[in-house]
Amino acid sequence: MSEEQQNGQQSEDLGQRTYEPPEEFAKNANCQDPEIWNKAAEDYEGFWEGWAKELHWFKEWDQVLDWDPPFAKWFVGGKLNASYNCLDYHIEQGKGDKQALIWVGDEPDHQQTYTYNELLTEVSKFANVLKDHGIGKGDTVSLYLPMIPELPIAMLACARLGAIHSVVFSAFTPDQLTERINDVESTVLVTADQSPRGGSITDLKENSDAALGDAQSIESVIVVRRTGEEVPMQDGRDEYWDELMQNASDQCEAEEMDAEDPFFVLYSSGSTGKPKGIQHNVGGYLVQLKATTMWTLDMKDDDIFWCTADIGWITGHSYLVYGPLLCGGTTLQYEGTPTYPDNTRWPSVIEEHKVTTLYTAPTAIRAFMKQGTGPLEGSDLSSLRLLGSVGEPINPAAWVWYYENFGGERCPVVDTWWQTETGGIMIAPLPGITTLKPGSATKPFPGIFPDLWDEETEEFIEGAGSGALTVNKPWPSMTRTLWQDPERYKEEYFSEISDEIYYVEDGAKRDEDGYYTITGRIDDVLNVAGHRLSTVEIENALVNHEAVAEAAVIGVEDEDKGQAPVAFVILQGDQEYGEDLEKDLIGEVADKAGKISRPDRVYAVEDLPKTNSGKIMRRLLQNIAQGEELGDTSTLADPSIAETIQEQTQQQMS
Ligand code: PRX
């Protein structure tokens, strides 16, 4: 297709465009072998073993894979340490003075950098602090911290001791923190006085105190002074990070961990109200991160790598902290928002720090796109050489806008599909080889074997088609179990088709070239601005309010956020619906389930559409909220209710 034709196309055809890897990029790419997929398929254990050899092991493995479906063990018998691999190993190779971490604060003049030597010192000291608080191999530590360097330092300190960290996103509410502490039964909580972000302040210590009333396992709270504001400190329980660090030794040996020892737990939303404690183990997780950071994100020694995700989510764990540090790279951690103090902030950070790789979410790209190129124009973005996208489907228009305006048409865009459960990137281009198609995550990473399942015929789809995404062979960074609940792990992921096939809960399409496009979740999970939210958790927050008898939450299409939550409630007998009540209910959700979970609208209806078996027909509510036709209502216990709900909703919409 000619350039002219391409440019003349309507936006809905952008997905048909193709982009070859830029010549300069392709010549220098870390992976340049077009046969690599075939080679990895011929011997996938051998392929992953090759990557394992890129890490430092105290003792090599005896067996690459022990697959006892659905439980996998990788690099069986191998001994290693994550913090050693991220720090000491590079220092031994003469990189001690290289910048490991660049921290950029919420206020533009607030910055700090750490070399590999400096980071190791901080990590070792904090590991000793934790040791003094009784933490050792196999113990759990909860981290409820803003985007400050102490968060990666605390994670690496846990890793050094073989302790299991559970990072709790700092925008979560006290109730959410309580639930996550109680599930891992940690004895130590690390938090901060306050969290400044986008010019406003969250009182993290206050939140922690509120959470701890119902989280009795915590014996010690270590508080980072982020703003220095005076906060209540409980005698005998609470201590300041800086005071503890003053006397800590900077020598701490890295614990030899078994490849299959637990590394960390990270909670993610599932289709029930109870979050899932996704457990990753040390060896396999690190191997896949090294492979994907090197090949998909094409990490180079002089890269300045900026992953904009919060460390409270898996993307931050894998590609802000562990992936870049495993590769001896320089990772940039940014505390703020894209719009504070104004909307030129991101471009200025790119220019100032000469960022080479930007890895962000489609929501952020769409927010920029909406403002036009203005905010980008004052900054020199020519240091960028690779762009990444993660967390939600990227629409072709946003993809092309990102490619043209951030990337100046010289940077490949890698749209990377993966999940908290997969630990690392699964479907994504190899930017030096793959012909890109806007909106498509393209092909599986070599050694990963996705497929499409036809739910009606109960068969795998051959060739082009669409269906439920599966992964048909184990992979190194797969979640090993849900925290202390192997039964739920099996039931959630390996019961739909068989105990050998990972059922993803995403829908996907595959085209005639074998390219995958992920279309979105097919369970009761919403993806709002790249954040994974459980409809049930929001429903629970609503029914917690005295005015609500029953609630159903669905996701509607949203231009900016991808999806937005919308709620339908049945009010208690004597309650009057009105603007004030709606606001109150939205506030209740913010308090209980966090601000990102806030529904855009709450409609009050007489009844909810239920099937004979009592299941809420969410699709119908979705059609109503989006102003579409009702569609087939025959499976409803009372089909006439559909029209009543539609009428009531329409009245409240105006
Ligand atoms: O629906 C998919 C979507 O995000 C879900 C995973 O969310 P989480 O575990 O929070 O991890 C997000 C970061 C890896 C998936 O089930 N998702 C993630 N990446 C993409 C995506 N959807 C489309 N395209 C992607 N690149």
Side-chain angles (χ1 to χ4, degrees):
M1 188 190 304
S2 74
E3 191 67 21
E4 213 172 75
Q5 276 173 312
Q6 283 184 2
N7 293 340
Q9 278 183 336
Q10 299 297 309
S11 63
E12 54 273 22
D13 287 332
L14 292 175
Q16 301 299 317
R17 287 189 183 180
T18 56
Y19 293 83
E20 294 304 324
E23 212 175 300
E24 243 341 88
F25 190 98
K27 256 194 339 216
N28 297 306
N30 288 347
C31 181
Q32 302 185 11
D33 179 2
E35 285 306 310
I36 193 63
W37 288 276
N38 293 334
K39 288 181 190 164
E42 269 164 30
D43 174 14
Y44 85 116
E45 290 188 27
F47 172 80
W48 288 115
E49 184 171 33
W51 276 108
K53 290 185 174 153
E54 300 283 316
L55 298 183
H56 169 273
W57 297 79
F58 298 117
K59 175 185 171 289
E60 266 209 15
W61 51 94
D62 308 312
Q63 189 185 348
V64 175
L65 172 65
D66 170 3
W67 179 223
D68 179 13
F71 300 99
K73 291 188 183 136
W74 283 87
F75 312 109
V76 184
K79 304 275 182 203
L80 78 171
N81 181 284
S83 142
Y84 193 96
N85 267 285
C86 287
L87 302 168
D88 312 57
Y89 193 38
H90 307 307
I91 294 170
E92 281 164 16
Q93 290 164 26
K95 284 191 180 179
D97 291 328
K98 179 179 172 173
Q99 280 193 354
L101 177 68
I102 300 174
W103 178 75
V104 180
D106 197 40
E107 298 296 335
D109 55 355
H110 207 153
Q111 309 198 354
Q112 205 167 339
T113 59
Y114 295 79
T115 63
Y116 273 93
N117 280 330
E118 288 164 346
L119 198 55
L120 175 60
T121 300
E122 296 303 305
V123 167
S124 302
K125 283 169 79 173
F126 194 63
N128 284 323
V129 168
L130 287 174
K131 240 193 222 171
D132 285 346
H133 287 75
I135 297 299
K137 187 170 176 173
D139 294 327
T140 53
V141 177
S142 294
L143 307 176
Y144 182 57
L145 284 164
M147 283 286 280
I148 53 178
E150 286 80 358
L151 178 49
I153 289 168
M155 291 162 82
L156 288 159
C158 288
R160 200 156 188 89
L161 299 176
I164 302 159
H165 59 67
S166 165
V167 178
V168 180
F169 181 40
S170 63
F172 277 161
T173 64
D175 284 350
Q176 290 172 311
L177 176 59
T178 305
E179 192 173 17
R180 285 157 179 78
I181 291 174
N182 287 342
D183 205 53
V184 293
E185 297 170 299
S186 45
T187 51
V188 174
L189 170 69
V190 186
T191 187
D193 47 8
Q194 294 184 313
S195 162
R197 194 157 183 269
S200 60
I201 297 273
T202 307
D203 291 307
L204 283 194
K205 178 59 169 56
E206 219 171 79
N207 283 354
S208 302
D209 287 343
L212 291 184
D214 292 322
Q216 295 297 326
S217 60
I218 295 290
E219 293 163 11
S220 314
V221 180
I222 300 175
V223 184
V224 179
R225 273 188 247 252
R226 169 60 188 92
T227 60
E229 185 71 21
E230 196 147 318
V231 291
M233 296 289 280
Q234 185 176 309
D235 255 3
R237 189 196 69 181
D238 305 350
E239 293 160 284
Y240 279 112
W241 169 292
D242 51 313
E243 289 169 12
L244 293 167
M245 289 288 269
Q246 259 170 17
N247 302 319
S249 152
D250 61 4
Q251 298 296 315
C252 178
E253 207 164 316
E255 186 76 28
E256 286 194 14
M257 302 297 290
D258 194 276
E260 281 298 329
D261 276 334
F263 185 2
F264 65 82
V265 180
L266 180 61
Y267 286 85
S268 187
S269 299
S271 39
T272 70
K274 189 178 181 310
K276 301 192 269 199
I278 312 281
Q279 179 183 321
H280 285 288
N281 290 2
V282 187
Y285 175 79
L286 294 179
V287 169
Q288 191 159 339
L289 286 199
K290 173 95 190 198
T292 50
T293 309
M294 287 304 286
W295 278 7
T296 310
L297 300 168
D298 197 55
M299 169 75 76
K300 297 276 197 284
D301 204 40
D302 53 359
D303 270 353
I304 307 291
F305 186 89
W306 183 14
C307 165
T308 68
D310 194 289
I311 297 176
W313 304 96
I314 191 69
T315 309
H317 278 61
S318 296
Y319 297 105
L320 196 162
V321 182
Y322 292 115
L325 295 179
L326 270 179
C327 299
T330 302
T331 186
L332 188 146
Q333 180 187 12
Y334 174 55
E335 186 180 34
T337 64
T339 50
Y340 181 78
D342 60 42
N343 59 12
T344 64
R345 187 71 199 277
W346 274 23
S348 353
V349 171
I350 294 170
E351 172 178 314
E352 182 178 348
H353 296 282
K354 303 213 166 7
V355 170
T356 56
T357 315
L358 179 67
Y359 190 32
T360 192
T363 293
I365 301 163
R366 286 191 294 264
F368 272 103
M369 188 175 163
K370 219 171 173 181
Q371 304 168 69
T373 52
L376 308 186
E377 278 161 14
S379 301
D380 177 4
L381 305 182
S382 62
S383 56
L384 287 171
R385 58 175 205 89
L386 180 67
L387 301 172
S389 172
V390 59
E392 41 173 333
I394 178 162
N395 46 313
W399 191 107
V400 170
W401 196 89
Y402 191 35
Y403 177 82
E404 290 178 348
N405 298 293
F406 270 90
E409 302 186 30
R410 57 172 202 282
C411 311
V413 174
V414 287
D415 173 15
T416 61
W417 175 83
W418 57 291
Q419 306 176 294
T420 310
E421 289 86 344
T422 72
I425 291 169
M426 299 289 280
I427 304 180
L430 293 179
I433 316 174
T434 310
T435 301
L436 303 173
K437 297 184 189 179
S440 169
T442 74
K443 297 222 176 178
F445 192 83
I448 301 290
F449 304 94
D451 211 339
L452 292 179
W453 177 252
D454 185 324
E455 310 258 22
E456 266 165 34
T457 63
E458 305 204 327
E459 280 171 3
F460 283 106
I461 294 164
E462 301 224 0
S466 60
L469 188 64
T470 62
V471 185
N472 293 9
K473 284 186 184 169
W475 63 98
S477 64
M478 68 196 285
T479 178
R480 295 301 193 264
T481 180
L482 295 178
W483 179 249
Q484 291 179 340
D485 200 351
E487 272 311 306
R488 189 175 173 205
Y489 161 80
K490 189 170 173 175
E491 199 183 298
E492 291 271 352
Y493 308 112
F494 289 93
S495 61
E496 194 71 29
I497 301 169
S498 84
D499 60 5
E500 292 184 33
I501 307 287
Y502 175 74
Y503 185 79
V504 172
E505 303 273 14
D506 274 340
K509 294 187 289 199
R510 188 171 52 208
D511 71 10
E512 48 298 336
D513 297 324
Y515 277 42
Y516 285 85
T517 296
I518 315 301
T519 46
R521 303 283 306 190
I522 48 181
D523 56 4
D524 294 342
V525 170
L526 306 182
N527 191 331
V528 177
H531 297 307
R532 198 166 140 177
L533 307 175
S534 146
T535 49
V536 181
E537 212 177 335
I538 306 175
E539 286 159 9
N540 289 347
L542 286 164
V543 292
N544 199 51
H545 192 285
E546 55 183 18
V548 177
E550 234 187 294
V553 171
I554 47 125
V556 297
E557 279 175 33
D558 185 274
E559 220 188 3
D560 303 323
K561 297 182 278 189
Q563 269 192 320
V566 164
F568 289 82
V569 294
I570 304 176
L571 295 177
Q572 298 283 9
D574 52 350
Q575 294 290 329
E576 276 282 309
Y577 180 80
E579 218 175 294
D580 288 346
L581 180 61
E582 186 179 14
K583 268 197 200 139
D584 212 33
L585 294 177
I586 293 173
E588 180 80 19
V589 175
D591 286 349
K592 290 279 168 326
K595 281 189 192 156
I596 10 162
S597 299
R598 273 183 306 208
D600 275 20
R601 288 297 315 259
V602 180
Y603 300 116
V605 289
E606 195 179 299
D607 207 349
L608 293 171
K610 291 193 184 147
T611 62
N612 271 328
S613 60
K615 202 171 161 4
I616 293 171
M617 249 177 95
R618 289 170 198 275
R619 181 195 46 77
L620 187 83
L621 293 176
Q622 211 159 11
N623 292 351
I624 292 173
Q626 293 181 166
E628 292 161 3
E629 303 265 306
L630 288 175
D632 180 16
T633 56
S634 59
T635 52
L636 284 179
D638 171 12
S640 71
I641 192 66
E643 278 177 23
T644 315
I645 298 173
Q646 190 179 36
E647 276 163 29
Q648 290 180 320
T649 309
Q650 277 167 353
Q651 276 166 14
Q652 293 165 24
M653 269 180 187
S654 48

